[in-house]
């Protein structure tokens, strides 16, 4: 994206943008996905091409039903495309190479916080001693050390979601995929979780792909924003986010934040504006 020209409503980059990023960890090339509903075929995604690069934070934003979760599941290898190709780097393709966080924390109610975080270690046959030390380190990073023996019902929604994030990070995956993880939280808790996720991203050297309905969340967290059209989901535009880090609650009130949010809102609400 370049500076605005006369009659051009694209967002103007700031002087200090995000750092450059590395090679692709996931590369989607002309990907489409169809689902069968009864006797009908429903096209969920249509000709989507996107590189997820090492060390960047991508937010995918769009209306309900535009294929955001389908796109995330394709990246994770939970389903295959109907057309096109998906390439994954070897470190992402290995077992435990992708961490996933869902809208619901999906914690096992009979297991303690620490035991829930350790669940991937059992599935992946990781060393128990090393994994327990890693789990406690992660819980400390999200201020949950004193709750490691608590059961999920004893935690607030935000605390449960922090446990889910720790669980996803236990195997030290290079890629973290997040499907509307804060959608069920109240507005204030959601903003606090956005600050926490930014800290985890900045200090943890992870690549993150976040699916969200929230335009402000996408702008606050990401290096690039993928704006999707209504179904069939296509990429309307990929916006380079030049807001400098670290971002604070004051970032929401800056003119550039407002400009990004307005631009993305127009893209999502004008489905005929599709990137070539």
């Amino acid at each position: 994206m370049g500076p605005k020209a006369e009659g051009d409503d694209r967002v103007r980059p700031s002087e200090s943008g995000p750092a450059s990023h590395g090679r692709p960890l996931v590369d989607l090339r002309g990907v489409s996905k169809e689902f069968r509903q009864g006797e009908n075929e429903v096209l969920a995604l249509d000709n989507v091409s996107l590189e997820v690069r090492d060390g960047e934070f991508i937010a995918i934003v769009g209306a309900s039903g535009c294929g955001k979760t389908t796109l995330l599941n394709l990246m994770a290898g939970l389903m295959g495309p109907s057309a096109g190709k998906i390439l994954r780097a070897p470190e992402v393709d290995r077992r435990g190479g992708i961490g996933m966080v869902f809208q619901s924390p999906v914690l096992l109610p009979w297991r303690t916080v620490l035991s829930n975080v350790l669940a991937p270690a059992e599935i992946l046959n990781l060393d128990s001693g090393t994994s327990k030390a890693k789990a406690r380190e992660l819980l400390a990073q999200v201020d949950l050390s004193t709750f490691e023996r608590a059961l999920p019902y004893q935690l607030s929604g935000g605390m449960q979601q922090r446990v889910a994030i720790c669980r996803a990070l236990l195997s030290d995956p290079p890629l973290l995929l997040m499907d509307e993880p804060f959608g069920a939280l109240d507005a204030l808790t959601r903003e606090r979780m956005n600050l926490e996720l930014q800290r985890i991203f900045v200090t943890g050297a992870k690549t993150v792909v976040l699916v969200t309905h929230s335009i402000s969340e996408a702008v606050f967290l990401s290096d690039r924003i993928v704006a999707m059209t209504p179904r069939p989901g296509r990429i309307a535009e990929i916006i380079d986010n030049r807001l400098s880090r670290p971002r604070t609650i004051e970032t929401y009130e800056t003119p550039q934040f407002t400009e990004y949010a307005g631009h993305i809102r127009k893209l999502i609400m004008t489905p005929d504006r599709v990137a070539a």
Side-chain angles (χ1 to χ4, degrees):
M1 294 178 62
K4 285 183 177 179
E6 185 176 353
D8 183 358
D9 63 352
R10 293 180 296 177
V11 177
R12 185 192 306 274
S14 68
E15 292 300 320
S16 59
S20 59
H21 302 291
R23 62 191 178 84
L25 294 184
V26 181
D27 187 1
L28 293 88
R29 301 180 181 180
V31 168
S32 298
K33 182 63 180 180
E34 291 184 342
F35 293 99
R36 179 171 291 277
Q37 290 187 353
E39 297 183 356
N40 299 319
E41 294 286 345
V42 176
L43 183 61
L45 290 173
D46 183 28
N47 193 29
V48 171
S49 295
L50 176 66
E51 286 186 353
V52 179
R53 303 167 191 151
D54 185 26
E56 73 173 334
F57 196 124
I58 290 180
I60 302 172
V61 64
S64 295
C66 73
K68 300 186 300 295
T69 295
T70 298
L71 186 55
L72 208 69
N73 288 337
L74 287 165
M75 290 182 189
L78 298 178
M79 60 177 65
S82 302
K85 182 183 295 186
I86 302 175
L87 304 176
R88 297 179 190 85
E91 63 268 35
V92 169
D93 221 19
R94 66 172 173 83
R95 288 190 72 204
I98 296 175
M100 293 201 71
V101 181
F102 303 96
Q103 181 169 351
S104 170
V106 200
L107 301 179
L108 299 175
W110 61 88
R111 300 186 68 152
T112 65
V113 164
L114 182 62
S115 293
N116 268 286
V117 175
L118 285 169
E122 300 170 16
I123 296 169
L124 299 170
N125 295 317
L126 303 178
D127 178 78
S128 59
T130 302
S131 296
K132 186 171 289 188
K134 176 69 172 178
R136 286 184 164 137
E137 177 187 333
L138 289 167
L139 289 171
Q141 289 175 5
V142 297
D143 296 323
L144 288 178
S145 291
T146 57
F147 292 90
E148 68 173 48
R149 295 185 181 180
L151 293 171
Y153 80 90
Q154 297 172 306
L155 307 180
S156 68
M159 293 166 74
Q160 289 185 28
Q161 203 56 282
R162 279 184 273 166
V163 174
I165 293 171
C166 290
R167 181 181 58 193
L169 294 173
L170 184 72
S171 65
D172 197 23
L175 177 61
L176 182 63
L177 303 179
M178 311 185 78
D179 187 6
E180 194 69 30
F182 310 134
L185 304 179
D186 65 85
L188 290 176
T189 303
R190 187 167 187 158
E191 287 189 6
R192 286 197 294 269
M193 290 301 298
N194 285 341
L195 289 167
E196 181 64 30
L197 180 55
Q198 178 187 224
R199 188 191 63 76
I200 290 170
F201 168 71
V202 171
T203 62
K206 296 295 178 189
T207 303
V208 181
V209 180
L210 170 74
V211 159
T212 181
H213 290 101
S214 170
I215 292 172
S216 62
E217 187 169 80
V219 175
F220 183 81
L221 286 168
S222 68
D223 297 316
R224 289 194 296 156
I225 304 154
V226 180
M228 302 288 294
T229 68
R231 191 174 65 223
R234 303 183 179 96
I235 294 178
E237 189 175 321
I238 300 175
I239 299 99
D240 289 325
N241 187 347
R242 303 289 181 172
L243 291 170
S244 59
R245 296 189 188 274
R247 298 165 191 168
T248 67
I249 56 174
E250 287 77 19
T251 302
Y252 291 101
E253 301 174 3
T254 62
Q256 192 177 18
F257 186 97
T258 302
E259 190 175 3
Y260 275 125
H263 178 69
I264 294 163
R265 190 169 289 109
K266 289 178 183 178
L267 286 171
I268 293 172
M269 296 179 69
T270 314
D272 58 328
R273 295 184 62 180
V274 179

